[in-house]
Amino acid sequence: MDTAVLHPNAQITFMPEDNSSEQQYSYHPSLLASLNQQLRTSLKTPAKISAEEWPERITNVFSESVCQVINDSPALPVFQQCFQELTGFYCSLDIPAPLRQRQFINKNGLVMSPDYAIRTVLDSVRVSTFWQALSNILPQYAERECHLVYPACGPFAPLLLPVLHFLREQQRLPEKLEVTLIDIHPAAAQSLQALVGATQLDSVVQVLCQDACDYRAEHGSVDILLVEAMQHGLSREGHLNICQHFAPLLAEDALLLPEKVSVRAVLTQAGDEFPAEPRAEGEKNTRRIDIGPVLELSRDTLRQLDLLRLDDGSELIRCLQVKIPEDLDTSVEHILLLTTEIQVYQHLSLPEYASGITHPLPDLSVCIGFEPRNPQPGDLLIKPGDSILFYYRKQGLPGFLPVYVEPV
């Protein structure tokens, strides 16, 4: 899912673990306004579509969209049409607007509002890459039982439901496949249940409305874990927490999708990475300085995460250490970027900038060789030759915490 920009003039809700009270956090006030305008102008669903017509419209757009992706001929209009039909169906459900628009932070991260989460369908490279992977993977389970769990899947479960319909239409859907969709948001769960019914996948799919990290099952009972609950830089949402919770539930030969998420630290000048004039397609910033890996998240590394519990109850994961080059030119200001590449399945991947979740994340709190013009309490002042150890913050808004390492 994509990024919500924090802002002091608007509110989102924090729901504590016991649901006893709510606290207020902030997000950018233009977020909802721009989304509402998008819904009004871009998603002009014909007013006379009846409830009886929606199943055919949804299944048609699923079939056409996945077919084009499988045949390596997807185009952006395909995803725009899919988005329009799905959003029209979503709006026809009469879910109260305040519920659809509600987003909050729970113990595992940011839970996006369904009104915002529906936009995942428009990230064509991300969606098509997962469709290609799953259309290859699922038929391999034709002769065996398979339990696929898709936690934090949002109101459309967009990485999976279209593929399930397409494979069933092609008579390639495994007979012993069981799918569990999980989302904590009541509006997302209501949309999911309606969408599963409209596509007549009820016999294959069950929908659970709960925190994914509260899901309980026998150890070794999950054959495929499909989870994509992150923003760029593996930030804000609960992707890592969900993966960590499900690790003991995975079967011995289970698949984790995506197979690997790799985060690295690089230094660059802001103008080089984010030029005023857009780069030509395929052109890269060649002036970056790669200072090393920060975290690699895969099925193997999940069981090896170095968890640190602090006295105040906070939980951090100790990641990797990097060193700032001693000969770094401090006559210009460098920023620290966290870059992300995602291996979805075998050769299918999401490189940098291919998707919203693989755009680099700048950490402007790290000041390397310069004094900040507007100092903030969380600033980290670093010199060339210094080392930084990264921790991953699991609670609140998850993300990486860089810490200065004292020389030995």
Side-chain angles (χ1 to χ4, degrees):
M1 298 181 189
D2 301 317
T3 303
V5 183
L6 296 183
H7 191 278
N9 298 328
Q11 302 296 323
I12 60 178
T13 302
F14 172 81
M15 182 64 71
E17 188 170 346
D18 60 3
N19 293 332
S20 58
S21 61
E22 296 184 354
Q23 302 174 21
Q24 298 298 315
Y25 287 75
S26 301
Y27 75 100
H28 198 288
S30 66
L31 179 63
L32 184 58
S34 63
L35 176 60
N36 285 342
Q37 185 62 26
Q38 175 83 12
L39 292 173
R40 291 188 188 104
T41 58
S42 300
L43 311 175
K44 296 180 179 178
T45 304
K48 294 183 180 180
I49 296 178
S50 66
E52 292 74 19
E53 292 176 280
W54 277 117
E56 183 177 359
R57 295 178 69 99
I58 295 298
T59 54
N60 283 345
V61 78
F62 278 2
S63 298
E64 294 168 6
S65 301
V66 178
C67 183
Q68 289 200 32
V69 167
I70 300 304
N71 292 324
D72 293 323
S73 58
L76 186 57
V78 170
F79 295 95
Q80 292 173 336
Q81 180 65 22
C82 192
F83 177 60
Q84 181 171 334
E85 293 292 348
L86 282 170
T87 308
F89 175 77
Y90 171 73
C91 293
S92 76
L93 300 176
D94 294 326
I95 303 172
L99 182 60
R100 293 196 336 254
Q101 297 163 3
R102 181 172 176 262
Q103 61 182 2
F104 55 92
I105 301 170
N106 76 348
K107 60 186 177 182
N108 295 305
L110 177 66
V111 177
M112 298 300 299
S113 71
D115 270 10
Y116 193 79
I118 60 176
R119 296 173 61 87
T120 297
V121 180
L122 291 173
D123 194 333
S124 57
V125 176
R126 184 195 334 181
V127 173
S128 62
T129 303
F130 277 92
W131 285 0
Q132 288 174 321
L134 287 162
S135 64
N136 286 325
I137 292 167
L138 291 178
Q140 298 176 28
Y141 290 82
E143 303 299 327
R144 54 175 287 192
E145 294 182 354
C146 177
H147 183 201
L148 186 158
V149 183
Y150 184 0
C153 62
F156 296 158
L159 306 183
L160 177 65
L161 280 184
V163 177
L164 293 181
H165 169 73
F166 176 80
L167 290 177
R168 185 184 58 185
E169 192 177 54
Q170 300 293 312
Q171 298 184 339
R172 297 172 60 215
L173 190 67
E175 292 184 3
K176 297 179 181 180
L177 175 66
E178 295 182 5
V179 174
T180 301
L181 303 179
I182 306 173
D183 202 279
I184 192 174
H185 203 296
Q190 184 177 339
S191 172
L192 284 168
Q193 198 67 64
L195 194 54
V196 168
T199 52
Q200 297 184 343
L201 288 166
D202 316 63
S203 62
V204 178
V205 178
Q206 68 164 333
V207 176
L208 301 179
C209 184
Q210 65 176 87
D211 190 324
C213 292
D214 291 334
Y215 178 76
R216 296 292 179 265
E218 291 185 11
H219 284 208
S221 63
V222 176
D223 300 293
I224 301 174
L225 178 62
L226 169 61
V227 53
E228 186 278 286
M230 73 182 88
Q231 297 183 18
H232 59 321
L234 199 59
S235 67
R236 295 182 176 272
E237 299 181 48
H239 185 98
L240 188 147
N241 290 328
I242 294 171
C243 290
Q244 197 172 24
H245 172 77
F246 274 87
L249 307 183
L250 298 178
E252 186 176 347
D253 59 348
L255 284 176
L256 171 63
L257 300 177
E259 291 182 319
K260 183 167 63 177
V261 179
S262 302
V263 180
R264 300 185 67 86
V266 303
L267 304 179
T268 189
Q269 297 176 48
D272 291 335
E273 187 70 29
F274 309 108
E277 295 295 328
R279 288 193 184 90
E281 185 175 355
E283 184 182 359
K284 297 182 178 180
N285 174 12
T286 58
R287 300 182 66 185
R288 281 182 174 184
I289 303 171
D290 187 312
I291 56 175
V294 174
L295 177 68
E296 182 177 286
L297 187 62
S298 67
R299 186 183 167 187
D300 291 336
T301 61
L302 266 178
R303 301 180 185 276
Q304 303 166 13
L305 294 176
D306 186 1
L307 180 64
L308 176 65
R309 290 187 173 90
L310 305 184
D311 292 340
D312 63 0
S314 300
E315 292 186 346
L316 301 172
I317 292 174
R318 180 187 174 99
C319 301
L320 297 176
Q321 183 172 313
V322 300
K323 184 177 180 180
I324 306 300
E326 295 183 0
D327 59 353
L328 183 72
D329 181 5
T330 56
S331 65
V332 294
E333 291 185 7
H334 289 84
I335 60 173
L336 174 69
L337 292 181
L338 295 177
T339 68
T340 307
E341 293 192 352
I342 298 175
Q343 179 183 327
V344 175
Y345 177 65
Q346 295 181 353
H347 67 284
L348 296 169
S349 63
L350 295 173
E352 269 195 83
Y353 284 106
S355 162
I357 59 176
T358 59
H359 278 235
L361 175 65
D363 188 340
L364 301 181
S365 71
V366 179
C367 307
I368 305 170
F370 68 90
E371 294 281 342
R373 299 179 186 85
N374 182 24
Q376 300 296 320
D379 288 342
L380 181 64
L381 305 184
I382 297 294
K383 306 184 303 297
D386 286 347
S387 293
I388 299 173
L389 176 62
F390 286 92
Y391 292 88
Y392 189 83
R393 183 179 60 251
K394 283 168 56 69
Q395 294 154 312
L397 287 174
F400 289 98
L401 173 68
V403 175
Y404 169 68
V405 178
E406 295 282 352
V408 178

